[in-house]
Amino acid sequence: MRRRSVLQAAACTGGAAVAGNAFIGKPAMVWFRGLTAPRWQLPMPAFLGVGAAYYGVVGYVLARSIDRRDARSTAWSSAVLVGNEAWNGVFFGRRSTRAGFVGLCAFVVPLVMLQRSVAGDTRARYVLAPYTAYVLLYDLPWTYRLWQLNPTRPSGTRD
């Protein structure tokens, strides 16, 4: 990969990480830790590891897309970055398990489209596939179960 594309991708992923994690302050973490969690929920260090790996994976895929001048994959990579940070805003910002599940369902669309768009790039396809599988096989069931264990209160207050 060319240095320029790596720097561009790093700037995009770094900017997205800073923007999206702005919603995750102490009050949001207190709320999150107070939720009833599925018994199979990953421990916090594992969540942080997946998050770090996510930025590396999407940065790599984005850099390869920029290198190949693949506008479609570049656009879907950008949509995945925006969608992930929007999910942080919805879930942690609103402190809503329901909104977190619905937001993740929406996030799956650009992620699957990104996976499809890199089908011709063997390296990007194989690097992205484990994260896509993680979202589909762990994140979706986890957010659904988290919502079920912490439903919206009848009084209309946020869940």
Side-chain angles (χ1 to χ4, degrees):
M1 284 186 293
R2 291 183 299 206
R3 180 182 166 104
R4 182 175 179 196
S5 60
V6 170
L7 292 174
Q8 287 174 325
C12 290
T13 56
V18 168
N21 288 299
F23 294 104
I24 308 174
K26 281 188 178 186
M29 289 310 297
V30 168
W31 167 78
F32 179 72
R33 287 188 179 107
L35 295 173
T36 302
R39 59 183 156 77
W40 39 273
Q41 177 173 300
L42 294 174
M44 187 54 67
F47 274 124
L48 296 174
V50 169
Y54 156 79
Y55 288 111
V57 164
V58 175
Y60 178 81
V61 171
L62 179 58
R64 289 188 60 81
S65 297
I66 293 168
D67 254 4
R68 291 186 341 271
R69 290 189 167 90
D70 182 344
R72 188 169 152 233
S73 294
T74 300
W76 284 121
S77 295
S78 299
V80 165
L81 283 170
V82 169
N84 184 67
E85 305 324 320
W87 183 85
N88 280 338
V90 167
F91 182 70
F92 288 103
R94 294 190 62 204
R95 292 177 179 77
S96 170
T97 56
R98 180 175 141 284
F101 174 67
V102 172
L104 190 63
C105 289
F107 173 74
V108 165
V109 174
L111 179 60
V112 168
M113 293 307 294
L114 175 59
Q115 188 71 58
R116 288 183 54 160
S117 76
V118 298
D121 180 352
T122 304
R123 289 183 183 169
R125 182 177 73 232
Y126 286 136
V127 167
L128 183 59
Y131 179 72
T132 302
Y134 167 83
V135 170
L136 295 173
L137 301 174
Y138 176 81
D139 267 356
L140 274 174
W142 173 73
T143 55
Y144 179 77
R145 186 67 182 137
L146 196 64
W147 171 35
Q148 297 307 300
L149 292 170
N150 302 275
T152 304
R153 296 180 186 101
S155 65
T157 57
R158 288 186 215 149
D159 51 346

